[in-house]
Amino acid sequence: MTSIKDLGNSGLYLDVALRDAINEGTVEGPRIFATGPILAANGGQIYNVLPEHQNIIDLEYRIISSPVDAKNAVREHVNQNVDLIKICADNLPNKTFLTTDEIKAIVQTAHSYNLKVTAHCVTNQSAWNAVEAGVDGIEHGFNLADSTLTKMAEKQVYIVPTENSKDYMNTYVKLAGYNANETKWIDTYLNKMKDRLKKAIDKGVPIVAGSDNYTDIKVSRGESSTDMFRYYFEAGMKPLDILQSSTYISAFHLNKENDIGYINPQANADIIAVKGDIINDFISTIENVEFIMKDGKIYENTTD
């Protein structure tokens, strides 16, 4: 991949610093669209933290205390030159969540600076609140109701499905030490997510490709992240739709469709070539990368 969104949990703007280091050529890496610390309600997603250690949370999240504070938080991020805003509409496993008024304040302020807002959501209610408040995208959305998907389609709010393939899940539970009789939930979970993705597609919700792989399955993080292609294919997405969700549609929902995500004389020179039959043998082909170019520079070329 030549471009990625880094959606938080990066410390105090370390993602922005890495982005700038890559852009100036100090280190090599993908083009990063950085958010800085996630905007969240009290506690963030870090649970069971004693009161005297709450400063740990401030190293990962910008805690929002009111709609006015929400506006100030966005301005702080703008001042640090972020590329978009990431919020936690809910904080599971913690019980706190941003209010609709707080999310509206975030969205209105971010949009005034031409920045998109994407929302981490696990519960359907938090997703509904975020969509009502005007966010541009929903990350995860594991429990979206049909009515929420319909509203997302009407407003063209994208979803980033971050599930994994059956092979990945089986590897994970094996490494985690699950017993054989403790893994029956995998098929139920995958079927539920497959049904959710099909409904989203049928209703016309934009699908943006994305991974949430932070568990250690004994491969590199980059290799682990590509498992999203396998999941999308297993869930019934067509190969060309998966490619579009990973390129042009992703770029469009970042306001970057004129720069990345398609081949055009005015766009950045980003090209990845795979060997095989992308339509009839999608998984093997998408994993067989032979050529990578970013900004006109070749990083891999095994075609000779």
Side-chain angles (χ1 to χ4, degrees), residues 112-125:
S112 74
Y113 289 100
N114 200 33
L115 295 179
K116 295 292 185 80
V117 179
T118 194
H120 162 101
C121 296
V122 173
T123 70
N124 177 67
Q125 186 62 58

Side-chain angles (χ1 to χ4, degrees), residues 159 161 194 197-198 201 205-209 228-246 249 279 282:
I159 182 173
K194 178 180 179 180
L197 181 57
K198 183 179 186 302
I201 293 171
V205 178
I207 309 297
V208 170
M228 65 181 179
F229 294 122
R230 185 180 294 271
Y231 162 72
Y232 294 148
F233 185 72
E234 289 177 355
M237 282 187 74
K238 297 177 181 178
L240 294 183
D241 290 337
I242 297 173
L243 292 181
Q244 278 211 322
S245 292
S246 307
I249 295 174
I279 301 297
F282 177 74

Side-chain angles (χ1 to χ4, degrees), residues 167-189:
D167 282 348
Y168 181 102
M169 297 299 294
N170 286 334
T171 299
Y172 168 74
V173 296
K174 182 178 179 180
L175 290 172
Y178 282 68
N179 295 322
N181 61 355
E182 296 176 321
T183 62
K184 296 178 181 179
W185 58 270
I186 293 177
D187 285 338
T188 301
Y189 168 76

Side-chain angles (χ1 to χ4, degrees), residues 61-221:
Y61 298 89
R62 171 55 166 90
I63 301 303
I64 304 303
S65 61
S66 69
V68 172
D69 187 45
K71 294 179 180 180
N72 287 333
V74 174
R75 294 188 188 104
E76 292 168 10
H77 280 49
V78 170
N79 195 48
Q80 294 292 331
N81 201 26
V82 301
D83 299 296
L84 69 159
I85 300 294
K86 165 77 178 296
I87 71 170
C88 276
D90 58 53
N91 277 351
L92 289 177
N94 287 330
K95 297 179 180 180
T96 53
F97 54 86
L98 293 173
T99 68
T100 302
D101 286 342
E102 287 169 340
I103 301 175
K104 284 181 179 178
I106 290 168
V107 170
Q108 291 168 1
T109 308
H111 285 179
S112 74
Y113 289 100
N114 200 33
L115 295 179
K116 295 292 185 80
V117 179
T118 194
H120 162 101
C121 296
V122 173
T123 70
N124 177 67
Q125 186 62 58
S126 67
W128 177 272
N129 292 346
V131 173
E132 281 283 277
V135 300
D136 301 288
I138 298 294
E139 307 287 331
H140 318 305
F142 302 118
N143 298 295
L144 296 177
D146 289 359
S147 56
T148 304
L149 288 169
T150 298
K151 184 173 286 290
M152 290 173 66
E154 291 171 353
K155 293 190 171 188
Q156 285 297 281
V157 175
Y158 65 81
I159 182 173
V160 181
T162 55
E163 287 72 61
N164 292 109
S165 70
K166 188 169 184 177
D167 282 348
Y168 181 102
M169 297 299 294
N170 286 334
T171 299
Y172 168 74
V173 296
K174 182 178 179 180
L175 290 172
Y178 282 68
N179 295 322
N181 61 355
E182 296 176 321
T183 62
K184 296 178 181 179
W185 58 270
I186 293 177
D187 285 338
T188 301
Y189 168 76
L190 289 175
N191 287 334
K192 176 184 175 183
M193 293 300 97
K194 178 180 179 180
D195 182 60
R196 187 278 320 265
L197 181 57
K198 183 179 186 302
K199 287 181 179 179
I201 293 171
D202 290 345
K203 289 177 180 291
V205 178
I207 309 297
V208 170
S211 168
D212 191 34
N213 288 359
Y214 51 83
T215 53
D216 181 8
I217 62 164
K218 306 306 177 184
V219 298
S220 70
R221 186 65 58 86

